[in-house]
Amino acid sequence: LLTQVLTDLGRDSQRVGTLLCAQTGAQPAASLARLIAALPPGTLGADLCPGLLMVNGHSPSAAVEALGTNIYTVHAQDGVQG
């Protein structure tokens, strides 16, 4: 059900000239990369948020490696783990 809803939202966003993105942070980026791979190309991209990744104990550089060209936007935000 989730993949069908995201596919529909992504198709509609492309039709009106926008991008549908999911923010990184709470889960490892590899999880988001698997979701993106399960959808038609261009349906969903990633909003890379290094601060939120760090706060949640994830590596921003590992996120870049996992998501690669699926990173559509970068959300500049600081964060302190602890």
Side-chain angles (χ1 to χ4, degrees), residues 3-4 6-7 31-41 43-44 70:
T3 55
Q4 184 57 50
L6 288 173
T7 298
S31 297
L32 179 55
R34 284 191 299 275
L35 175 60
I36 291 170
L39 299 169
T43 299
L44 179 67
N70 291 309

Side-chain angles (χ1 to χ4, degrees):
L1 181 65
L2 177 62
T3 55
Q4 184 57 50
V5 170
L6 288 173
T7 298
D8 291 345
L9 286 171
R11 188 178 310 121
D12 287 345
S13 70
Q14 290 173 357
R15 184 179 52 79
V16 298
T18 62
L19 301 171
L20 180 63
C21 294
Q23 188 176 56
T24 60
Q27 300 294 321
S31 297
L32 179 55
R34 284 191 299 275
L35 175 60
I36 291 170
L39 299 169
T43 299
L44 179 67
D47 171 38
L48 182 71
C49 185
L52 195 54
L53 284 163
M54 289 188 302
V55 165
N56 287 294
H58 306 297
S59 166
S61 59
V64 170
E65 285 182 33
L67 294 164
T69 59
N70 291 309
I71 298 171
Y72 290 179
T73 60
V74 177
H75 186 125
Q77 172 179 329
D78 63 352
V80 177
Q81 187 177 13

